[in-house]
Amino acid sequence: MSTMTLREVCEETRVSRRAIQGYELAGLVAATARNDRGYLLYDEESRRRIQQIKLFQDLGFSVKEIAGIIDAPKEELKEALEAKISVLQEKGDRIEVLIDKARKMIEQL
């Protein structure tokens, strides 16, 4: 199985070193080994998990919320995602209203 250093994982996933270290502190992910120079190594499953955590964060879940859902049964995860979609949709609707109001203001200038 192919492993990567923390630096390589950061580059591949576009997740900062600090964020990955935070995920580790929260118990969400762990390095799978160390190389002969002592660098942390991550396997493919760890990299996939980091990408999943980042997606959850992009959706607006906190690290604490992610810890509660990442290994949850599929039905529980589905419910959490559906609830988050509803929240995001509401925010999107409010943003659309604000954009329309701003455009109307521009037209009046």
Side-chain angles (χ1 to χ4, degrees), residues 57-97:
Q57 283 189 311
D58 289 345
L59 288 170
F61 288 100
S62 69
V63 170
K64 185 176 181 178
E65 290 171 318
I66 295 168
I69 63 170
I70 196 162
D71 294 318
K74 288 182 181 182
E75 199 55 43
E76 190 176 326
L77 177 57
K78 182 179 176 182
E79 289 176 18
L81 288 168
E82 287 173 344
K84 188 57 76 173
I85 288 169
S86 293
V87 169
L88 292 171
Q89 187 63 55
E90 288 175 18
K91 285 182 181 180
D93 292 345
R94 286 193 303 265
I95 290 170
E96 283 297 321
V97 168

Side-chain angles (χ1 to χ4, degrees), residues 5 33-41:
T5 64
R34 287 186 182 267
N35 67 11
D36 56 349
R37 293 184 170 180
Y39 294 147
L40 296 174
L41 298 175

Side-chain angles (χ1 to χ4, degrees), residues 3-9 17 24 31-43:
T3 58
M4 292 182 162
T5 64
L6 178 57
R7 181 178 183 189
E8 292 168 330
V9 171
R17 176 186 193 97
E24 289 176 340
T32 53
R34 287 186 182 267
N35 67 11
D36 56 349
R37 293 184 170 180
Y39 294 147
L40 296 174
L41 298 175
Y42 298 83
D43 62 12

